Amino acid sequence: MQPKWSNIICKRVLLTGFTLCIVLVTKPSSAIEIYADPEVIMQNGTTGTLRCTFRSNEVVRNDISVAWSFQSSQPDNRFSKAPYVIFYFSNGKGFPGPEEFKDRVQFIGDINKRDVSIQLSPAQFSDNGTFFCDVKNPPDISGTPAKTELRVVLKESLPQSNTAIIVGAVSGALLLLVLIAVAACVIMRVLHNRHEYEGCTSLESVSSQAPKPRKKVESSLEGSRCTSPSGPLQGPVIYAQLDHSGSKNSFHKMEPVVYADIRKN
């Protein structure tokens, strides 16, 4: 019994491995992917571009084909019932469509760069509608066409560009930064000057308070100098007995004799 079970297990393992090899080796096929702008706004009478690109797993061949179709959004337009091919590209050549687009549609893409864009010049109000871009790159031919809604308007109805808004915002931000920097410099300078002023006033108060005792001493000295006589100092007074008559009976009279001290101060 065991050999039979082992044989069955071996067969199942081999079958599973073979299946995995086939899945890994076989290249999976995927549909071609086509991309276009969802909406485009053009000014009436100007030149506009309808961009379209694609991505394919296959190498771009010479037999690749591109078809641009248009369906008008205006009920009275003859292209309003169903999409009409307005431009066809194949084997490196472009083929114009109906008279309404024959001289106004130009292929500006690059197949090797997977770009199949067209240019519409001049844009007209009758071009309002949906444009379809379809690409076939055999054998990668299954894909959903990309579509673009085109709106042709007057110049006054064009949306304003964001460039002016961005420039204004950046300029305002720079001006605000400059004002902040200037204000910071002014505040720092004011604080610095105030600090220096407080330092000077403190030094003046200290210097005005320190010499006060010396002034008192000087004032006392000056007072003493002022009260002292400016002339020569008077010396000691000596009393001497003088005889003015020269007689015997004369009395002796005591008169003071002053000796001046002529020494300088």
PDB file of all heavy atoms in Angstrom, residues 6 25 29-30 39 73 76-77 79 90 95-96 108 121 153 172-173 179 183 195 201 207 220 246 263-265:
ATOM      1  N   SER A   6       2.878   6.619  -2.336  1.00  0.00           N
ATOM      2  CA  SER A   6       4.061   7.428  -2.694  1.00  0.00           C
ATOM      3  C   SER A   6       4.040   7.816  -4.164  1.00  0.00           C
ATOM      4  O   SER A   6       4.404   8.938  -4.524  1.00  0.00           O
ATOM      5  CB  SER A   6       5.332   6.662  -2.366  1.00  0.00           C
ATOM      6  OG  SER A   6       5.384   5.462  -3.088  1.00  0.00           O
ATOM      7  N   VAL A  25       6.394  31.260 -16.443  1.00  0.00           N
ATOM      8  CA  VAL A  25       7.053  31.507 -17.720  1.00  0.00           C
ATOM      9  C   VAL A  25       6.158  32.292 -18.658  1.00  0.00           C
ATOM     10  O   VAL A  25       6.602  33.158 -19.423  1.00  0.00           O
ATOM     11  CB  VAL A  25       7.495  30.166 -18.366  1.00  0.00           C
ATOM     12  CG1 VAL A  25       7.999  30.400 -19.781  1.00  0.00           C
ATOM     13  CG2 VAL A  25       8.567  29.515 -17.514  1.00  0.00           C
ATOM     14  N   SER A  29      -0.799  38.890 -20.253  1.00  0.00           N
ATOM     15  CA  SER A  29      -1.225  39.929 -21.183  1.00  0.00           C
ATOM     16  C   SER A  29      -2.166  40.888 -20.462  1.00  0.00           C
ATOM     17  O   SER A  29      -3.004  40.481 -19.669  1.00  0.00           O
ATOM     18  CB  SER A  29      -1.945  39.316 -22.381  1.00  0.00           C
ATOM     19  OG  SER A  29      -3.093  38.614 -21.945  1.00  0.00           O
ATOM     20  N   SER A  30      -2.005  42.197 -20.696  1.00  0.00           N
ATOM     21  CA  SER A  30      -2.857  43.211 -20.089  1.00  0.00           C
ATOM     22  C   SER A  30      -3.303  44.179 -21.155  1.00  0.00           C
ATOM     23  O   SER A  30      -2.653  44.332 -22.200  1.00  0.00           O
ATOM     24  CB  SER A  30      -2.119  43.937 -18.966  1.00  0.00           C
ATOM     25  OG  SER A  30      -0.965  44.568 -19.483  1.00  0.00           O
ATOM     26  N   GLU A  39     -10.588  67.552 -18.614  1.00  0.00           N
ATOM     27  CA  GLU A  39     -11.234  68.769 -19.105  1.00  0.00           C
ATOM     28  C   GLU A  39     -10.181  69.753 -19.586  1.00  0.00           C
ATOM     29  O   GLU A  39      -9.119  69.906 -18.976  1.00  0.00           O
ATOM     30  CB  GLU A  39     -12.082  69.416 -18.009  1.00  0.00           C
ATOM     31  CG  GLU A  39     -12.860  70.633 -18.475  1.00  0.00           C
ATOM     32  CD  GLU A  39     -13.664  71.270 -17.352  1.00  0.00           C
ATOM     33  OE1 GLU A  39     -13.299  71.082 -16.170  1.00  0.00           O
ATOM     34  OE2 GLU A  39     -14.658  71.951 -17.647  1.00  0.00           O
ATOM     35  N   SER A  73     -21.512  68.599 -28.033  1.00  0.00           N
ATOM     36  CA  SER A  73     -22.487  68.762 -26.961  1.00  0.00           C
ATOM     37  C   SER A  73     -23.652  69.650 -27.368  1.00  0.00           C
ATOM     38  O   SER A  73     -24.570  69.880 -26.572  1.00  0.00           O
ATOM     39  CB  SER A  73     -21.795  69.357 -25.725  1.00  0.00           C
ATOM     40  OG  SER A  73     -21.225  70.617 -26.029  1.00  0.00           O
ATOM     41  N   ASP A  76     -27.853  70.828 -32.189  1.00  0.00           N
ATOM     42  CA  ASP A  76     -28.021  71.140 -33.611  1.00  0.00           C
ATOM     43  C   ASP A  76     -26.766  70.840 -34.429  1.00  0.00           C
ATOM     44  O   ASP A  76     -26.747  71.081 -35.643  1.00  0.00           O
ATOM     45  CB  ASP A  76     -28.416  72.606 -33.769  1.00  0.00           C
ATOM     46  CG  ASP A  76     -27.413  73.560 -33.115  1.00  0.00           C
ATOM     47  OD1 ASP A  76     -26.582  73.088 -32.318  1.00  0.00           O
ATOM     48  OD2 ASP A  76     -27.458  74.778 -33.395  1.00  0.00           O
ATOM     49  N   ASN A  77     -25.727  70.328 -33.803  1.00  0.00           N
ATOM     50  CA  ASN A  77     -24.490  69.989 -34.525  1.00  0.00           C
ATOM     51  C   ASN A  77     -24.605  68.588 -35.105  1.00  0.00           C
ATOM     52  O   ASN A  77     -25.140  67.679 -34.470  1.00  0.00           O
ATOM     53  CB  ASN A  77     -23.296  70.085 -33.569  1.00  0.00           C
ATOM     54  CG  ASN A  77     -21.960  70.089 -34.291  1.00  0.00           C
ATOM     55  OD1 ASN A  77     -21.653  69.166 -35.041  1.00  0.00           O
ATOM     56  ND2 ASN A  77     -21.169  71.118 -34.031  1.00  0.00           N
ATOM     57  N   PHE A  79     -22.409  66.431 -35.375  1.00  0.00           N
ATOM     58  CA  PHE A  79     -21.578  65.453 -34.671  1.00  0.00           C
ATOM     59  C   PHE A  79     -22.125  65.131 -33.276  1.00  0.00           C
ATOM     60  O   PHE A  79     -21.422  64.554 -32.450  1.00  0.00           O
ATOM     61  CB  PHE A  79     -20.147  65.971 -34.523  1.00  0.00           C
ATOM     62  CG  PHE A  79     -19.466  66.278 -35.823  1.00  0.00           C
ATOM     63  CD1 PHE A  79     -19.213  67.597 -36.194  1.00  0.00           C
ATOM     64  CD2 PHE A  79     -19.076  65.255 -36.663  1.00  0.00           C
ATOM     65  CE1 PHE A  79     -18.587  67.872 -37.387  1.00  0.00           C
ATOM     66  CE2 PHE A  79     -18.443  65.536 -37.861  1.00  0.00           C
ATOM     67  CZ  PHE A  79     -18.196  66.852 -38.233  1.00  0.00           C
ATOM     68  N   SER A  90      -1.815  56.108 -38.767  1.00  0.00           N
ATOM     69  CA  SER A  90      -1.416  54.711 -38.920  1.00  0.00           C
ATOM     70  C   SER A  90      -0.205  54.617 -39.832  1.00  0.00           C
ATOM     71  O   SER A  90      -0.099  55.375 -40.817  1.00  0.00           O
ATOM     72  CB  SER A  90      -2.577  53.889 -39.501  1.00  0.00           C
ATOM     73  OG  SER A  90      -2.203  52.531 -39.653  1.00  0.00           O
ATOM     74  N   PHE A  95      -4.118  60.976 -41.304  1.00  0.00           N
ATOM     75  CA  PHE A  95      -5.205  61.110 -42.270  1.00  0.00           C
ATOM     76  C   PHE A  95      -6.273  62.030 -41.661  1.00  0.00           C
ATOM     77  O   PHE A  95      -6.851  61.702 -40.618  1.00  0.00           O
ATOM     78  CB  PHE A  95      -5.814  59.735 -42.596  1.00  0.00           C
ATOM     79  CG  PHE A  95      -4.819  58.766 -43.159  1.00  0.00           C
ATOM     80  CD1 PHE A  95      -4.120  57.896 -42.317  1.00  0.00           C
ATOM     81  CD2 PHE A  95      -4.552  58.728 -44.517  1.00  0.00           C
ATOM     82  CE1 PHE A  95      -3.204  56.995 -42.824  1.00  0.00           C
ATOM     83  CE2 PHE A  95      -3.623  57.833 -45.032  1.00  0.00           C
ATOM     84  CZ  PHE A  95      -2.947  56.967 -44.188  1.00  0.00           C
ATOM     85  N   PRO A  96      -6.511  63.170 -42.312  1.00  0.00           N
ATOM     86  CA  PRO A  96      -7.491  64.114 -41.772  1.00  0.00           C
ATOM     87  C   PRO A  96      -8.909  63.590 -41.903  1.00  0.00           C
ATOM     88  O   PRO A  96      -9.189  62.688 -42.707  1.00  0.00           O
ATOM     89  CB  PRO A  96      -7.274  65.374 -42.615  1.00  0.00           C
ATOM     90  CG  PRO A  96      -6.685  64.875 -43.887  1.00  0.00           C
ATOM     91  CD  PRO A  96      -5.870  63.674 -43.538  1.00  0.00           C
ATOM     92  N   ILE A 108       0.795  66.308 -33.117  1.00  0.00           N
ATOM     93  CA  ILE A 108       2.024  66.859 -32.532  1.00  0.00           C
ATOM     94  C   ILE A 108       2.678  65.873 -31.567  1.00  0.00           C
ATOM     95  O   ILE A 108       3.615  66.246 -30.855  1.00  0.00           O
ATOM     96  CB  ILE A 108       1.745  68.185 -31.801  1.00  0.00           C
ATOM     97  CG1 ILE A 108       0.734  67.968 -30.674  1.00  0.00           C
ATOM     98  CG2 ILE A 108       1.252  69.258 -32.775  1.00  0.00           C
ATOM     99  CD1 ILE A 108       0.543  69.188 -29.783  1.00  0.00           C
ATOM    100  N   SER A 121      -6.436  74.259 -33.981  1.00  0.00           N
ATOM    101  CA  SER A 121      -6.215  75.672 -34.254  1.00  0.00           C
ATOM    102  C   SER A 121      -6.995  76.099 -35.511  1.00  0.00           C
ATOM    103  O   SER A 121      -6.828  75.477 -36.576  1.00  0.00           O
ATOM    104  CB  SER A 121      -4.730  75.939 -34.452  1.00  0.00           C
ATOM    105  OG  SER A 121      -4.473  77.279 -34.758  1.00  0.00           O
ATOM    106  N   VAL A 153     -14.454  79.098 -24.734  1.00  0.00           N
ATOM    107  CA  VAL A 153     -15.088  80.252 -24.103  1.00  0.00           C
ATOM    108  C   VAL A 153     -14.422  81.535 -24.582  1.00  0.00           C
ATOM    109  O   VAL A 153     -13.385  81.515 -25.257  1.00  0.00           O
ATOM    110  CB  VAL A 153     -14.996  80.153 -22.560  1.00  0.00           C
ATOM    111  CG1 VAL A 153     -15.727  78.924 -22.052  1.00  0.00           C
ATOM    112  CG2 VAL A 153     -13.539  80.124 -22.114  1.00  0.00           C
ATOM    113  N   GLY A 172       4.069  88.963  -0.093  1.00  0.00           N
ATOM    114  CA  GLY A 172       3.562  89.337   1.219  1.00  0.00           C
ATOM    115  C   GLY A 172       4.313  88.661   2.345  1.00  0.00           C
ATOM    116  O   GLY A 172       4.613  89.282   3.376  1.00  0.00           O
ATOM    117  N   ALA A 173       4.625  87.375   2.155  1.00  0.00           N
ATOM    118  CA  ALA A 173       5.370  86.652   3.188  1.00  0.00           C
ATOM    119  C   ALA A 173       6.771  87.246   3.374  1.00  0.00           C
ATOM    120  O   ALA A 173       7.235  87.429   4.508  1.00  0.00           O
ATOM    121  CB  ALA A 173       5.460  85.175   2.829  1.00  0.00           C
ATOM    122  N   LEU A 179       9.607  93.048   7.866  1.00  0.00           N
ATOM    123  CA  LEU A 179       9.068  93.890   8.934  1.00  0.00           C
ATOM    124  C   LEU A 179       9.375  93.313  10.312  1.00  0.00           C
ATOM    125  O   LEU A 179       9.715  94.036  11.254  1.00  0.00           O
ATOM    126  CB  LEU A 179       7.561  94.057   8.746  1.00  0.00           C
ATOM    127  CG  LEU A 179       7.125  94.869   7.521  1.00  0.00           C
ATOM    128  CD1 LEU A 179       5.607  94.887   7.409  1.00  0.00           C
ATOM    129  CD2 LEU A 179       7.670  96.285   7.571  1.00  0.00           C
ATOM    130  N   ALA A 183      11.563  95.197  13.138  1.00  0.00           N
ATOM    131  CA  ALA A 183      11.011  95.412  14.478  1.00  0.00           C
ATOM    132  C   ALA A 183      11.909  94.796  15.548  1.00  0.00           C
ATOM    133  O   ALA A 183      12.141  95.393  16.611  1.00  0.00           O
ATOM    134  CB  ALA A 183       9.602  94.826  14.551  1.00  0.00           C
ATOM    135  N   HIS A 195      19.635  99.875  28.691  1.00  0.00           N
ATOM    136  CA  HIS A 195      20.594  99.258  29.612  1.00  0.00           C
ATOM    137  C   HIS A 195      21.791 100.166  29.840  1.00  0.00           C
ATOM    138  O   HIS A 195      22.260 100.328  30.975  1.00  0.00           O
ATOM    139  CB  HIS A 195      21.039  97.918  29.033  1.00  0.00           C
ATOM    140  CG  HIS A 195      22.032  97.200  29.891  1.00  0.00           C
ATOM    141  ND1 HIS A 195      21.693  96.630  31.096  1.00  0.00           N
ATOM    142  CD2 HIS A 195      23.366  96.965  29.707  1.00  0.00           C
ATOM    143  CE1 HIS A 195      22.760  96.068  31.625  1.00  0.00           C
ATOM    144  NE2 HIS A 195      23.785  96.252  30.808  1.00  0.00           N
ATOM    145  N   THR A 201      23.371 106.113  34.869  1.00  0.00           N
ATOM    146  CA  THR A 201      22.723 106.728  36.023  1.00  0.00           C
ATOM    147  C   THR A 201      23.190 106.102  37.326  1.00  0.00           C
ATOM    148  O   THR A 201      23.379 106.790  38.337  1.00  0.00           O
ATOM    149  CB  THR A 201      21.204 106.587  35.896  1.00  0.00           C
ATOM    150  OG1 THR A 201      20.870 105.196  35.694  1.00  0.00           O
ATOM    151  CG2 THR A 201      20.685 107.394  34.722  1.00  0.00           C
ATOM    152  N   SER A 207      29.015 107.932  42.162  1.00  0.00           N
ATOM    153  CA  SER A 207      30.060 108.957  42.221  1.00  0.00           C
ATOM    154  C   SER A 207      29.609 110.186  42.993  1.00  0.00           C
ATOM    155  O   SER A 207      30.417 110.876  43.615  1.00  0.00           O
ATOM    156  CB  SER A 207      30.476 109.352  40.807  1.00  0.00           C
ATOM    157  OG  SER A 207      29.342 109.860  40.110  1.00  0.00           O
ATOM    158  N   SER A 220      34.799 122.336  56.008  1.00  0.00           N
ATOM    159  CA  SER A 220      35.248 122.718  57.344  1.00  0.00           C
ATOM    160  C   SER A 220      36.614 123.373  57.311  1.00  0.00           C
ATOM    161  O   SER A 220      36.885 124.342  58.005  1.00  0.00           O
ATOM    162  CB  SER A 220      35.281 121.491  58.260  1.00  0.00           C
ATOM    163  OG  SER A 220      36.182 120.529  57.735  1.00  0.00           O
ATOM    164  N   GLY A 246      61.856 160.145  83.937  1.00  0.00           N
ATOM    165  CA  GLY A 246      63.254 160.056  84.334  1.00  0.00           C
ATOM    166  C   GLY A 246      63.520 160.526  85.743  1.00  0.00           C
ATOM    167  O   GLY A 246      64.658 160.545  86.184  1.00  0.00           O
ATOM    168  N   ARG A 263      56.334 135.680  61.083  1.00  0.00           N
ATOM    169  CA  ARG A 263      56.459 134.460  60.304  1.00  0.00           C
ATOM    170  C   ARG A 263      55.258 134.275  59.373  1.00  0.00           C
ATOM    171  O   ARG A 263      54.141 134.622  59.723  1.00  0.00           O
ATOM    172  CB  ARG A 263      56.567 133.259  61.252  1.00  0.00           C
ATOM    173  CG  ARG A 263      57.851 133.213  62.052  1.00  0.00           C
ATOM    174  CD  ARG A 263      57.837 132.010  63.013  1.00  0.00           C
ATOM    175  NE  ARG A 263      56.715 132.152  63.972  1.00  0.00           N
ATOM    176  CZ  ARG A 263      56.443 131.208  64.875  1.00  0.00           C
ATOM    177  NH1 ARG A 263      57.135 130.071  64.892  1.00  0.00           N
ATOM    178  NH2 ARG A 263      55.422 131.367  65.721  1.00  0.00           N
ATOM    179  N   LYS A 264      55.558 133.757  58.318  1.00  0.00           N
ATOM    180  CA  LYS A 264      54.483 133.521  57.321  1.00  0.00           C
ATOM    181  C   LYS A 264      53.653 132.328  57.744  1.00  0.00           C
ATOM    182  O   LYS A 264      54.090 131.469  58.453  1.00  0.00           O
ATOM    183  CB  LYS A 264      55.099 133.279  55.936  1.00  0.00           C
ATOM    184  CG  LYS A 264      55.802 134.505  55.367  1.00  0.00           C
ATOM    185  CD  LYS A 264      56.311 134.189  53.985  1.00  0.00           C
ATOM    186  CE  LYS A 264      57.001 135.425  53.383  1.00  0.00           C
ATOM    187  NZ  LYS A 264      57.488 135.125  52.024  1.00  0.00           N
ATOM    188  N   ASN A 265      52.437 132.379  57.244  1.00  0.00           N
ATOM    189  CA  ASN A 265      51.543 131.263  57.526  1.00  0.00           C
ATOM    190  C   ASN A 265      52.069 129.997  56.886  1.00  0.00           C
ATOM    191  O   ASN A 265      52.537 130.045  55.766  1.00  0.00           O
ATOM    192  CB  ASN A 265      50.127 131.569  56.990  1.00  0.00           C
ATOM    193  CG  ASN A 265      49.504 132.710  57.753  1.00  0.00           C
ATOM    194  OD1 ASN A 265      49.855 132.938  58.913  1.00  0.00           O
ATOM    195  ND2 ASN A 265      48.581 133.447  57.120  1.00  0.00           N
TER     196      ASN A 265
END
